[in-house]
Amino acid sequence: AALNPWDVMLCVSGTAIACENALVVAIICYSPALRTPMFVLVGSLATADLLAGLGLILNFVFQYVIRSETVSLLTVGFLVASFAASVSSLLAITVDRYLSLYNALTYYSERTVLCIHTMLAGAWGVSLCLGLLPVLGWNCLHDHATCSVVRPLTKSNVTLLSASFFLIFLIMLHLYIEICKIVCRHAHQIALQQHFLTASHYVATKKGVSTLAIILGTFGASWLPFAIYCVVGDPDYPSVYTYATLLPATYNSMINPIIYAYRNQEIQRSMWVLFCGCFQAKVSFRSRSPSDV
């Protein structure tokens, strides 16, 4: 088959995603100090994005090397499960940030660890089930009339995936609004105690709200076009529309390590140790709390 430039770009995107997130997974596994609930969630996100990147690479290889219906279903199911786990991990991180602010006094407890592990088990379990649907028969290989804009997934399958994404996006939007309220309320309480709101408090509050807006805006800008097109698109439309909305969705997995991992100073310190073999004592790092945004 002729080489499709869009497939090449997806493969390149998958390679970048896999490399970025493989480094995050290696750092978290290498550093015993990174065992807190926050880093467990970041590790889950990095693992999901790593698998998604590998899935994009495998999909390209099998599409042009091994053309098989069975392999196509397996790779598509693998991609669905990986991206679903990535989005679910983002939701779990949002819930964790909300709980770390709402229940700050009881956050560091065994109950929190159990809650995190339960959330991750549920997220990965649901993602695995979604990935198995095409393999178990929810596909359009033998009934092309039921095909969606993402072959071989059916229209009902992508509708379910899109509806799940919209629900997760709305939950994240609600939680981030609540986080902004808590942050602003804390700043106001500090101002009342000190009888005035200092410039540093104002800047910190504005920075926190801006960071939350960037996180949610990046997530929405990456996935919303593809999710909407899956619902309103028709399989008879040119495939370039599917590629043009799917490619930005993959960028979210490329941006996630930057937002959730590489900005964290504990991970930065672990990178110094991992790559340099030693840590310069004169370089100071501030340990970030789970509620840092």
Side-chain angles (χ1 to χ4, degrees):
L3 198 63
N4 189 334
W6 288 100
D7 289 329
V8 175
M9 286 189 287
L10 284 175
C11 183
V12 172
S13 177
T15 304
I17 291 170
C19 292
E20 278 185 294
N21 288 281
L23 179 59
V24 176
V25 173
I27 291 172
I28 293 178
C29 293
Y30 172 81
S31 305
L34 304 181
R35 296 292 185 269
T36 63
M38 177 182 65
F39 290 113
V40 170
L41 291 170
V42 173
S44 172
L45 176 63
T47 302
D49 287 333
L50 169 61
L51 294 176
L54 294 176
L56 290 172
I57 298 173
L58 292 175
N59 183 65
F60 176 82
V61 173
F62 291 139
Q63 186 174 355
Y64 290 97
V65 178
I66 306 175
R67 300 182 64 85
S68 167
E69 291 183 353
T70 303
V71 173
S72 175
L73 289 176
L74 289 174
T75 54
V76 169
F78 186 80
L79 284 171
V80 169
S82 300
F83 281 119
S86 175
V87 173
S88 300
S89 296
L90 287 174
L91 175 61
I93 290 176
T94 306
V95 173
D96 175 69
R97 286 182 166 177
Y98 173 75
L99 292 177
S100 68
L101 289 170
Y102 185 77
N103 297 320
L105 297 179
T106 60
Y107 177 79
Y108 292 98
S109 64
E110 294 183 1
R111 183 179 179 182
T112 300
V113 176
L114 178 62
C115 178
I116 296 300
H117 290 165
T118 303
M119 280 197 302
L120 289 181
W124 281 91
V126 172
S127 301
L128 180 60
C129 291
L130 292 174
L132 287 175
L133 289 179
V135 182
L136 296 178
W138 208 350
N139 59 72
C140 63
L141 291 179
H142 304 293
D143 187 6
H144 296 286
T146 62
C147 279
S148 67
V149 294
V150 184
R151 294 181 178 86
L153 300 181
T154 63
K155 294 178 182 178
S156 54
N157 195 343
V158 297
T159 300
L160 172 63
L161 294 174
S162 298
S164 301
F165 168 79
F166 292 137
L167 177 62
I168 290 176
F169 182 76
L170 290 176
I171 294 174
M172 290 178 62
L173 177 61
H174 172 71
L175 289 177
Y176 274 130
I177 291 175
E178 293 299 318
I179 290 175
C180 288
K181 291 180 180 179
I182 295 174
V183 170
C184 293
R185 185 163 62 246
H186 286 178
H188 181 68
Q189 291 173 350
I190 294 174
L192 291 178
Q193 293 175 358
Q194 299 183 354
H195 304 293
F196 64 93
L197 183 63
T198 63
S200 61
H201 293 150
Y202 173 77
V203 171
T205 304
K206 183 178 179 181
K207 181 181 178 181
V209 174
S210 300
T211 302
L212 292 176
I214 292 173
I215 291 173
L216 192 63
T218 301
F219 177 65
S222 299
W223 278 106
L224 277 176
F226 180 67
I228 294 174
Y229 182 68
C230 284
V231 176
V232 303
D234 190 273
D236 293 330
Y237 291 169
S239 60
V240 64
Y241 296 158
T242 303
Y243 283 113
T245 53
L246 176 59
L247 187 62
T250 66
Y251 292 159
N252 186 67
S253 296
M254 197 181 302
I255 298 172
N256 283 339
I258 301 174
I259 295 178
Y260 296 97
Y262 295 133
R263 290 176 61 249
N264 187 282
Q265 296 191 11
E266 292 292 338
I267 289 184
Q268 292 176 9
R269 177 167 57 185
S270 297
M271 288 179 64
W272 274 91
V273 175
L274 181 63
F275 289 111
C276 302
C278 59
F279 180 69
Q280 297 291 339
K282 64 181 180 181
V283 181
S284 62
F285 289 89
R286 181 179 63 86
S287 179
R288 296 168 65 91
S289 66
S291 60
D292 285 347
V293 295

